[in-house]
Amino acid sequence: RSHASVEVLQERVQRIKESDAARLRAEYHRLVEGLRDASVARETDVRLANPVLPDEVLQEAVPGNIRNAEHFVAFMRRFIEYLKTRLRTQHVESQTPQAFLLDCYKQVMIDRKPLRFCAERLRSLLHTLQLEDITNHSSLSLVASFATLVSTYSKGFNLLIEPFEDQ
């Protein structure tokens, strides 16, 4: 389902790029500024704090390779394909977050830093695209939150990858 959600986002980004490119440029400039607004909102209780991101991440700017909406959608597509291949296992595997990230880098050249911003970047993109029903993107949101968690916290948990029968 998350792959279908990425496809919907790609179509929407393309449509907005053709009709209202200024909106995508404005989002890009907000991302260049960094996530300081989220930090201020957390301090002033304007919105609920994002439990996924620690304060030091909120002070950083979103990496350049996922600032552009089209690049972010392609990035998420690659990460989802990587997860699909990892889930096609015949036996239970246990991995540390560091080992998972190293394998992810070796297989699809996805670095740790952009993964840390996936949840916040997806939220920003969904807001910019002004999608009517964001519940259709809940599976993609779960993938983005997973990417953020596994790349932000390296201690205190292991990843368990189990075989899954699709029947």
Side-chain angles (χ1 to χ4, degrees), residues 53-113:
L53 296 176
D55 289 331
E56 63 269 9
V57 174
L58 292 174
Q59 300 304 317
E60 294 181 47
V62 173
N65 60 340
I66 62 171
R67 283 184 199 152
N68 183 298
E70 291 173 312
H71 296 170
F72 176 68
V73 170
F75 176 87
M76 287 302 292
R77 186 178 292 123
R78 275 191 8 243
F79 186 65
I80 290 168
E81 288 302 319
Y82 170 74
L83 289 177
K84 283 182 181 179
T85 60
R86 288 304 310 266
L87 292 174
R88 290 186 197 115
T89 183
Q90 300 300 318
H91 57 282
V92 176
E93 296 178 35
S94 175
Q95 259 188 336
T96 64
Q98 296 96 329
F100 177 84
L101 293 171
L102 181 62
D103 185 61
C104 183
Y105 184 76
K106 286 180 180 177
Q107 298 295 321
V108 290
M109 299 300 292
I110 292 179
D111 200 13
R112 176 179 179 235
K113 187 170 182 176

Side-chain angles (χ1 to χ4, degrees), residues 1 3 8 16 31 50 57 66 94 100 114 143 165:
R1 281 188 272 164
H3 186 61
V8 169
I16 287 181
L31 293 172
N50 185 340
V57 174
I66 62 171
S94 175
F100 177 84
V143 170
E165 292 187 26

